[in-house]
Amino acid sequence: MARVFSIDETAEEASVEDGVATDAGRVSRSASVSRDNRETVGEIAVEDPRVTCREVNVYYGDKHAIRKVDLDIGRNEVIALIGPSGCGKSTFIRCLNRMNDTVEGCRVTGKILLDDQDIYDRKMDVVPLRAQVGMVFQKPNPFPKSIYENVAWGPRIHGLALNKIELDEIVETSLRKAGLWDEVKDRMEQPGTGLSGGQQQRLCIARTIAVGPEVILMDEPCSALDPIATAKIEELIDELSQQYSIAIVTHSMQQAARVSQRTAYFHLGDLIEVGETGQIFTNPRHQLTEDYITGRFG
């Protein structure tokens, strides 16, 4: 298991310098952990975890894409996963509902527990798992069906509604939670693909929450959206965190600062640092984290 440093401990002696102003905030001092140290810095564990990951490794054939990642995701928290392109953050969240099972040659080792149940147990059925741990992708992907059927499809195949009245209630509740009901309630039979990009993404979020997940994974959900649509999604994330645990991959450090309580920084397959979002952006302890948030690379 990767060694975890406590909040008041440093990995090595280093001088403390003046802070560096960045768009994400102000770094109060130079990071104290060397770039050469790839052990995770910060508190990986939370008091009440919904998801617990220990010694997670991901291989694509001979390529070791994720190395010994330890991380908890708490109940009703938003955790942002940041890092340069190709660092492994999307690969990691795809482990959390076994989406990597669909990738030929991909192999995952280690322990990932959802409410203390090993999701990689051979007896685990991935269909209900992917209802419990939903995924919202980078590009909106509504089904080529009506707005109503986009939301109703999941509850119907999972047997969550006994009749049409219950199904209607689930659809309306899900669309309300996604902040979309007032915009589509009079055109429920129109195709979901006819909505704007931002509306399509909120429809996909409604589709995800309609099956009653515990965790929602979001892989750069705003990267294809304009600023107004992005703001609506960010407001929605804050509201949804009252009921769900959310892990969001984002290339926008400003977005991570706005929506998350905790942030995890990945670099070339390693989880470098994890901590409260304010601390990561204003007082990072690892030099690689500081390099990234101050724009030295990434």
Side-chain angles (χ1 to χ4, degrees):
M1 182 182 295
R3 186 174 184 280
V4 181
F5 298 97
S6 65
I7 291 299
D8 56 357
E9 178 189 18
T10 59
E12 61 179 36
E13 293 297 321
S15 61
V16 177
E17 301 175 359
D18 291 337
V20 180
T22 70
D23 290 337
R26 183 174 178 82
V27 180
S28 64
R29 61 180 176 82
S30 287
S32 57
V33 181
S34 165
R35 295 178 183 87
D36 296 328
N37 189 328
R38 295 304 182 88
E39 295 175 328
T40 301
V41 176
E43 296 293 338
I44 62 166
V46 297
E47 193 170 300
D48 188 18
R50 175 76 76 178
V51 177
T52 301
C53 305
R54 294 294 181 268
E55 293 276 331
V56 175
N57 293 273
V58 181
Y59 302 84
Y60 293 112
D62 294 331
K63 181 182 178 182
H64 198 173
I66 295 287
R67 287 182 288 272
K68 294 186 177 181
V69 169
D70 298 337
L71 184 65
D72 287 355
I73 299 175
R75 296 177 190 273
N76 306 114
E77 85 163 356
V78 181
I79 183 168
L81 279 57
I82 64 171
S85 296
C87 68
K89 52 193 184 295
S90 293
T91 294
F92 175 71
I93 67 162
R94 289 171 64 90
C95 295
L96 304 183
N97 69 348
R98 294 183 55 174
M99 288 294 292
N100 284 325
D101 288 9
T102 64
V103 180
E104 186 175 354
C106 183
R107 180 166 58 92
V108 179
T109 65
K111 286 278 188 182
I112 301 178
L113 307 180
L114 175 66
D115 293 330
D116 297 323
Q117 184 175 10
D118 186 355
I119 70 170
Y120 281 87
D121 188 288
R122 292 184 179 181
K123 297 179 182 179
M124 173 63 69
D125 186 342
V126 298
V127 175
L129 170 66
R130 290 172 185 158
Q132 287 179 285
V133 186
M135 174 78 83
V136 178
F137 295 95
Q138 181 174 356
K139 184 179 179 181
N141 59 344
F143 299 145
K145 299 176 180 289
S146 69
I147 294 169
Y148 180 92
E149 284 299 321
N150 262 274
V151 184
W153 182 79
R156 185 182 292 120
I157 66 168
H158 287 287
L160 301 181
L162 297 177
N163 51 52
K164 181 68 162 56
I165 294 175
E166 289 188 4
L167 190 59
D168 289 347
E169 289 178 354
I170 292 173
V171 170
E172 179 177 344
T173 299
S174 301
L175 287 168
R176 286 189 182 278
K177 287 181 179 179
L180 192 58
W181 172 253
D182 289 337
E183 298 172 38
V184 302
K185 62 183 179 181
D186 296 324
R187 45 176 174 153
M188 297 288 284
E189 297 307 315
Q190 295 182 14
T193 52
L195 298 173
S196 70
Q199 289 174 324
Q200 286 186 26
Q201 194 66 298
R202 282 183 284 150
L203 179 62
C204 293
I205 293 172
R207 186 178 68 195
T208 298
I209 63 182
V211 294
E214 299 177 16
V215 180
I216 300 176
L217 311 175
M218 296 185 170
D219 192 358
E220 299 185 59
C222 303
S223 63
L225 305 182
D226 61 51
I228 294 175
T230 294
K232 289 183 178 180
I233 296 293
E234 290 180 359
E235 291 174 7
L236 178 58
I237 290 171
D238 183 59
E239 294 171 7
L240 292 176
S241 68
Q242 306 303 312
Q243 292 182 267
Y244 311 103
S245 301
I246 299 174
I248 177 172
V249 169
T250 179
H251 277 292
S252 169
M253 288 181 282
Q254 290 81 8
Q255 181 174 78
R258 287 192 295 264
V259 304
S260 67
Q261 291 86 50
R262 292 169 72 225
T263 295
Y265 172 65
F266 282 77
H267 182 82
L268 298 179
D270 295 308
L271 175 57
I272 297 297
E273 185 167 0
V274 59
E276 293 184 5
T277 296
Q279 175 262 312
I280 293 292
F281 286 117
T282 62
N283 192 20
R285 297 179 55 209
H286 202 292
Q287 289 181 359
L288 286 172
T289 311
E290 183 178 299
D291 288 347
Y292 182 70
I293 67 173
T294 56
R296 294 190 182 117
F297 67 85

